[in-house]
């Protein structure tokens, strides 16, 4: 079996495509034969050691989290899926390993793949869509008829949030690059502003303000949000948790594997209400150069990079 892994934290140069022996699934785990895996911005950050307090210093470490594939084996206590099921999901932060021919994941992190979604489309969903769902519903308490502002509305999480909010009956405004305004309009966003917009022009209009970009100033978010509304930041950091502990509308989301939330995302995709654009597809054997180029690109990525096996 092959997978992309690394023997020390660092830049793209530490990635290697190497042989490995898949572990047997433990209690509450499943072993999946990967058909497709999707690249997320967090993958590079984890490989660079930004979460080493969680991931530790044991090497080699595998790379990648979001995947789709077929269940090869199940561990003790697994009841939601069985051998032969087509699934999509995400490996844990510590375990990782989706950029491979086989991956072990927790059962709570996978769901059955709808037949009308391709392997590539399925792999693109888990992390961005579940993050968006938990930000809107669990933190933002979004209801039909409310108004949402998404900063970074055309990124993975932002685009997912826009589609999910519209499906739930909310109205959605957001920020994006000026050159992408037509794409945002076609997605159903209104009003559309550039990243350096004047928040005073939209003061007090939104029930939920979601910072999917990590670049929305808190002062701007507070200007946008209605009294009693919610500001949700999906880029956790120690200083942000301290800020979130203070009274006020600001909250920080740490995405968790919740089966019911993943099921909601899957149902939205099955109905055609949730789709992620795909920027490129490469086989596992050619993935390292593609990952390197994808990571170093400074402009808009225009969708997910998918690795197939």
């Amino acid at each position: 079996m092959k997978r992309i892994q690394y023997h020390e934290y660092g830049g793209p140069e530490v990635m290697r495509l190497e042989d490995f022996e898949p572990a047997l699934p433990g209690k509450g785990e499943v072993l999946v034969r990967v058909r497709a895996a999707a690249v997320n911005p967090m993958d590079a950050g984890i490989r660079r050691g930004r979460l080493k307090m969680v991931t530790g210093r044991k090497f080699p470490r595998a790379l990648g989290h979001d995947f789709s594939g077929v269940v090869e084996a199940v561990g003790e206590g697994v009841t939601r899926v069985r051998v032969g099921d087509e699934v999509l999901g995400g490996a844990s932060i510590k375990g990782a390993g989706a950029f491979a021919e086989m991956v072990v994941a927790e059962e709570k992190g996978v769901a059955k793949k709808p037949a009308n979604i391709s392997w590539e489309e399925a792999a693109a969903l888990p992390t961005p869509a579940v993050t968006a769902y938990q930000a809107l519903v669990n933190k933002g308490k979004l209801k039909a008829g409310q108004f949402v502002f998404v900063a970074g509305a055309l990124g993975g999480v932002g685009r997912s949030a826009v589609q999910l909010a519209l499906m739930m009956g909310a109205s959605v405004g957001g920020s994006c690059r000026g050159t992408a305004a037509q794409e945002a309009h076609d997605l159903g966003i209104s009003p559309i502003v550039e990243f350096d917009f004047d928040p005073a022009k939209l003061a007090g209009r939104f029930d939920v303000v979601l910072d999917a970009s990590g670049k929305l100033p808190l002062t701007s978010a507070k200007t946008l949000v209605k009294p009693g509304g919610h500001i949700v930041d999906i880029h956790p950091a120690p200083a942000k948790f301290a800020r979130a502990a203070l009274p006020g509308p600001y909250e920080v989301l740490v995405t968790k594997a919740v089966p019911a939330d993943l099921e909601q995302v899957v149902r939205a995709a099955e109905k055609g209400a949730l789709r992620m654009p795909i920027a490129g597809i490469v086989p596992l054997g050619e993935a390292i150069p593609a990952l390197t180029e994808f990571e170093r690109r400074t402009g808009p990525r225009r969708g997910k990079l998918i690795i197939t096996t």
Side-chain angles (χ1 to χ4, degrees):
M1 290 287 137
K2 296 283 189 181
R3 75 176 179 186
I4 296 175
Q5 54 190 26
Y6 51 101
H7 296 260
E8 61 180 325
Y9 291 118
E13 70 280 356
V14 303
M15 292 186 286
R16 301 285 184 272
L17 179 63
E18 297 177 330
D19 292 321
F20 82 110
E21 187 65 33
L24 292 174
K27 185 176 182 179
E29 294 180 333
V30 297
L31 175 66
V32 176
R33 184 175 293 275
V34 177
R35 295 294 300 271
V39 180
N40 290 301
M42 70 177 185
D43 297 327
I46 290 170
R47 190 204 63 232
R48 289 178 180 275
R50 291 174 187 166
L51 289 179
K52 64 178 66 174
M53 291 291 289
V54 175
T55 55
R57 296 182 179 276
K58 184 178 179 180
F59 295 98
R61 283 197 47 76
L63 196 63
H65 295 85
D66 288 357
F67 63 85
S68 63
V70 180
V71 177
E72 191 83 3
V74 300
E76 179 187 349
V78 171
T79 59
R80 292 175 49 248
V81 297
R82 58 186 180 182
V83 172
D85 282 349
E86 297 183 352
V87 298
L88 60 89
S92 68
I93 293 295
K94 188 171 184 179
F99 301 166
E101 293 177 320
M102 292 273 198
V103 64
V104 172
E106 295 177 298
E107 180 193 21
K108 66 182 180 180
V110 302
K112 292 181 181 179
K113 182 186 80 68
N116 65 338
I117 301 175
S118 71
W119 296 113
E120 293 82 4
E121 290 171 325
L125 289 172
T127 293
V130 170
T131 299
Y133 181 85
Q134 293 181 353
L136 293 174
V137 177
N138 300 357
K139 291 289 188 181
K141 314 299 181 186
L142 182 65
K143 298 178 177 63
Q146 291 189 326
F147 293 83
V148 179
F149 183 88
V150 181
L154 296 182
V157 175
R159 186 182 296 267
S160 298
V162 170
Q163 294 176 84
L164 290 169
L166 290 171
M167 183 190 72
M168 294 168 63
S171 298
V172 185
S175 62
C176 65
R177 298 174 188 268
T179 54
Q182 185 59 51
E183 184 180 358
H185 177 270
D186 294 344
L187 198 60
I189 301 172
S190 180
I192 301 165
V193 296
E194 296 193 40
F195 288 121
D196 59 350
F197 71 104
D198 178 4
K201 296 179 179 180
L202 299 174
R205 287 183 56 175
F206 300 96
D207 300 279
V208 180
V209 176
L210 169 58
D211 183 9
S213 67
K215 299 176 181 178
L216 181 68
L218 183 57
T219 53
S220 296
K222 287 182 174 180
T223 300
L224 296 170
V225 74
K226 290 181 179 180
H230 300 268
I231 299 169
V232 186
D233 188 331
I234 64 165
H235 299 271
K240 292 182 178 182
F241 286 117
R243 185 186 303 153
L246 300 173
Y250 179 78
E251 301 180 71
V252 179
L253 172 69
V254 177
T255 308
K256 297 179 180 179
V258 179
D261 294 347
L262 181 57
E263 295 287 354
Q264 289 288 345
V265 164
V266 170
R267 280 195 283 272
E270 186 174 21
K271 292 191 298 185
L274 178 62
R275 286 288 187 271
M276 294 290 290
I278 294 173
I281 300 174
V282 296
L284 180 63
E286 301 172 15
I288 290 178
L291 284 165
T292 301
E293 193 276 333
F294 197 75
E295 182 177 340
R296 289 174 174 167
R297 190 177 304 167
T298 56
R301 294 193 170 104
R302 301 298 186 195
K304 287 283 190 178
L305 174 63
I306 303 294
I307 299 168
T308 57
T309 59

